[in-house]
Amino acid sequence: MTVKTHQHPETIQSISPLSKVSGRIHSIETCGTVDGPGIRFIIFTQGCCLRCLYCHNPDTRNREDGVEITVDELIADIQKYRSYMRFSGGGVTISGGEPLVQPNFVQAIFQRCQEIKIHTALDTSGFVNLTVAKPILEFVDLVLLDIKSFDPLTYRQVTGTSIEPTLRFAHYLNEIKKPTWIRFVLVPNLTDDPDNVEGLAKFISQLKNVEKVELSPFHKLGEYKWEKLGYTYRLQDTPIPTSEQINQVKDCFKRYGISVQ
């Protein structure tokens, strides 16, 4: 398979001074329960440098699409759900797309949330220059880090990019002791190679800040979006993982002392 290499993280927009910041979003989920602890207000931002073969939100690729909104408007909406977040131990999660494509926007949201004592979570691929990420992470309580593969060739096949920025990002999170959940999508005939899984498990076991791994079985729920957008969906013949395949991966992580959800 020929995979086109996409934008390097160094080219992602740089942080600008915070003021009346606005950004572009794809959508909002007001009572999410799978992107961090408790009930969460989830902001899906627009723009992503990766081209994951199994992406279920391909309509978030282009940063120029979506809806423009100010941080003030978002915070006003978030405030309506504070009681749900407080009683459930929830908060605000920024996902995407890739949130770090719009770093000043994301930093401003998280900073405002922390000022009003709302828990913050960043759902990211880690494909970013650390110079851009560091100021944002000061206002992040939890990172949900998607590691698509550990084998570099498989990672490039899945995403169209290099794994190195993500590994540097993971090491930095460990260095600053930032609570992190690792996310891994199990795709038969793509990311399920035992050496790939064990390599990832071994890598994660060396990180002291990782609280657990979230294992997600591959699904095709976003395939219709690819068709609607005129994109070629290359995994149309890929099966969903069997229970046996899922359990084998779980067992591998557990052998390395990693909690798996």
Side-chain angles (χ1 to χ4, degrees), residues 37-242:
I39 294 174
R40 308 197 68 82
F41 187 101
I42 306 168
I43 303 164
F44 295 92
T45 58
Q46 198 70 32
C48 187
C49 294
L50 273 61
R51 295 294 181 261
C52 298
L53 295 180
Y54 51 73
C55 179
H56 58 274
N57 286 324
D59 44 352
T60 64
R61 284 183 179 183
N62 300 319
R63 187 174 178 271
E64 295 75 19
D65 294 341
V67 177
E68 186 166 359
I69 190 170
T70 67
V71 173
D72 285 345
E73 288 173 317
L74 281 171
I75 294 298
D77 202 5
I78 288 167
Q79 295 270 27
K80 301 173 186 177
Y81 300 90
R82 287 193 69 178
S83 59
Y84 296 100
M85 293 185 281
R86 181 171 64 251
F87 289 117
S88 68
V92 170
T93 297
I94 304 183
S95 184
E98 170 52 64
L100 297 179
V101 170
Q102 300 186 63
N104 57 325
F105 179 53
V106 170
Q107 179 177 332
I109 298 168
F110 282 151
Q111 185 169 341
R112 291 285 299 279
C113 286
Q114 289 204 342
E115 288 171 356
I116 55 178
K117 310 300 182 185
I118 292 177
H119 182 272
T120 58
L122 172 67
D123 182 10
T124 177
S125 69
F127 187 77
V128 65
N129 187 306
L130 283 178
T131 303
V132 173
K134 287 178 180 180
I136 301 170
L137 291 171
E138 294 180 15
F139 302 100
V140 174
D141 295 308
L142 173 68
V143 175
L144 311 175
L145 178 59
D146 296 304
I147 301 184
K148 318 292 184 176
S149 168
F150 188 72
D151 173 70
L153 293 179
T154 304
Y155 191 94
R156 187 172 292 277
Q157 183 180 3
V158 172
T159 68
T161 62
S162 168
I163 192 176
E164 291 305 318
T166 296
L167 298 184
R168 286 196 296 269
F169 187 79
H171 280 299
Y172 179 71
L173 295 177
N174 183 58
E175 179 184 327
I176 64 174
K177 300 179 174 61
K178 184 67 66 177
T180 298
W181 297 358
I182 300 292
R183 294 178 145 184
F184 174 65
V185 179
L186 178 63
V187 186
N189 306 317
L190 187 60
T191 67
D192 62 338
D193 183 271
D195 290 337
N196 183 43
V197 173
E198 185 157 8
L200 179 59
K202 184 177 180 179
F203 174 75
I204 295 172
S205 70
Q206 298 167 354
L207 305 175
K208 305 304 179 185
N209 62 315
V210 175
E211 298 178 346
K212 66 178 177 180
V213 167
E214 292 187 325
L215 176 62
S216 299
F218 166 72
H219 62 73
K220 300 181 185 179
L221 298 181
E223 183 176 2
Y224 76 96
K225 293 184 181 180
W226 288 68
E227 296 173 354
K228 184 177 180 180
L229 292 166
Y231 299 155
T232 300
Y233 189 73
R234 296 189 178 96
L235 301 183
Q236 59 184 7
D237 297 325
T238 300
I240 62 173
T242 64

